[in-house]
Amino acid sequence: MAEYSAFSLLKNALAGNKDWKPAWRKPDPKASYDVIVIGGGGHGLSTAYYLAKEHGITNVAVLEKGWLGSGNVGRNTTAVRSNYLLPQNTRFYEHSMKLWENLSHDLNYNVMFSQRGCLNLAHTPAQLDDYARRGNAMRHLGVDAELMSVDQIKRLVPALDVSGSARFPVLGGLMQPRAGTARHDAVAWGYARGADRRGVDIIENCEVTGFLRDGGRITGVSTTRGEIRAKKVALAVAGSTGHVMQLAGISHMPIESHVLQAFVSESLKPIVDTVLTFGMGHFYISQSDKGGLVYGGDLDGYNSYAQRGSLPIVDEVMSEMLALFPGLARVRMLRSWGGLCDMTMDGSPIVTTGPLPGMYLNCGWCYGGFKATPASGWCFAYTIAKDEPHEFNAPFTLDRFYRGLIIDDKGQGANPRLH
């Protein structure tokens, strides 16, 4: 497999870039594995990588129904942060942040992680007080957080309208300096390459069509490429969780699938040198290395498995962007896409054993799936290998809804689309 370094880059450039080796193999599925991971997105690939790297479990297959990275890992706005209020979420996402900070070196693959900060704008005194509360909670757990004044925000983002005549006046903001962005495709490719190098089979165009059982225990899967048996079967299929769980005979889950749209503008000179979020609506924006503005907003309000959204959300997102940046009114949007968000009843994920013997479940990431990728795979691999959760994912059980141990960071109640 390919090795990446400054020397190899120069060598292949002089050779016309004709001698690069494949980043990962294209194996046929074997009859059986120790672990099958369903889902070849960021969470499935990182799980396989950490199973091999941290636990020495290399007889692993990752099954992807399409091409690698065709799901949510390539359909997001690339933001990475750990600025949560509740300690269960803060500890988990801060662990993910620490993994992000060394990820390119760990994978020997540049995931283009840029720690440019994440700034949450406050537009009312009450909202600024709430951000101070969240910032103090973060700092109490060792996470970086700073309250910013209007003057500091103006210096950081000169294009932002912070005037007194703005539609939604800016009163300050909460900044996490270590937050930022990463290249989503590179994350998928880096984990795939790293897992492959450790012996994991990544099998594309292999859709799971059913589950094999021995009594009540899951012992493998039926796929479009034949039956494959395994001692353990792990699900990491994001918005398709409900559909795949139905194949296992489980028809009710505490999640809903919704479409989340994202947008990219034409390339511009640098104007947004951070990840910025709007406090009077649901809008977030950053700028890519190529100059395009990458932005998004609310979910489409209906349940769907489609990877495309509706025009009312497009109109809403553009209106929110212009409320913050009136100068962008004539900028052209290049493209948009949709990803399937698996929204839980409390806005926090599910990373656990079960609900059937031999099965392991990773789902419910709501808006937070991409930034959670390293910690999700790290904790899920631990859970699979040890048959018990790590302390970072121990709160994220499936039965917490039944037991009343909800983790509602936003305080929105049992309405999945509001999280």
Side-chain angles (χ1 to χ4, degrees), residues 118-193:
C118 177
L119 174 61
N120 304 131
L121 296 177
H123 303 274
T124 67
Q127 191 171 45
L128 192 59
D129 287 345
D130 185 62
Y131 284 169
R133 177 191 178 214
R134 174 148 55 102
N136 285 328
M138 292 165 60
R139 295 181 69 158
H140 181 69
L141 293 173
V143 181
D144 56 317
E146 300 175 10
L147 275 182
M148 295 186 69
S149 67
V150 176
D151 289 340
Q152 289 174 311
I153 293 171
K154 180 62 177 178
R155 287 194 296 270
L156 178 65
V157 191
L160 179 68
D161 184 4
V162 297
S163 66
S165 61
R167 183 179 179 189
F168 300 101
V170 175
L171 302 186
L174 178 64
M175 164 66 82
Q176 184 185 15
R178 290 168 53 243
T181 63
R183 172 71 185 275
H184 47 198
D185 293 326
V187 173
W189 300 334
Y191 272 122
R193 175 179 173 274

Side-chain angles (χ1 to χ4, degrees), residues 5-57:
S5 65
F7 174 75
S8 66
L9 184 65
L10 178 60
K11 176 184 174 182
N12 281 278
L14 294 175
N17 288 311
K18 297 178 180 178
D19 298 324
W20 285 108
K21 296 178 181 178
W24 60 85
R25 298 169 294 122
K26 302 284 187 179
D28 292 322
K30 297 188 292 190
S32 65
Y33 292 89
D34 291 334
V35 179
I36 288 174
V37 179
I38 304 173
H43 292 226
L45 292 167
S46 63
T47 298
Y49 174 76
Y50 290 117
L51 276 170
K53 179 178 183 285
E54 301 292 338
H55 304 284
I57 302 173

Side-chain angles (χ1 to χ4, degrees), residues 220-243:
V221 293
S222 301
T223 77
T224 51
R225 297 180 66 173
E227 293 186 351
I228 310 173
R229 298 193 174 271
K231 299 174 184 176
K232 300 180 178 182
V233 177
L235 275 71
V237 294
S240 296
T241 299
H243 170 68

Side-chain angles (χ1 to χ4, degrees), residues 76 143 154 163 174 191 202 247 293 320 341 343 401 417:
N76 58 77
V143 181
K154 180 62 177 178
S163 66
L174 178 64
Y191 272 122
I202 299 170
L247 300 177
L293 298 175
E320 290 174 327
C341 287
M343 308 294 293
F401 305 100
R417 73 178 183 85

Side-chain angles (χ1 to χ4, degrees), residues 87-140:
Q88 300 97 317
N89 281 326
T90 303
R91 292 189 183 100
F92 179 88
Y93 284 100
E94 179 61 13
H95 178 57
S96 198
M97 179 70 73
K98 291 175 180 177
L99 291 172
W100 276 110
E101 289 175 325
N102 193 49
L103 191 59
S104 292
H105 178 75
D106 186 30
L107 297 176
N108 183 225
Y109 199 96
N110 185 9
V111 300
M112 304 181 193
F113 181 43
S114 170
Q115 291 182 284
R116 60 187 69 181
C118 177
L119 174 61
N120 304 131
L121 296 177
H123 303 274
T124 67
Q127 191 171 45
L128 192 59
D129 287 345
D130 185 62
Y131 284 169
R133 177 191 178 214
R134 174 148 55 102
N136 285 328
M138 292 165 60
R139 295 181 69 158
H140 181 69

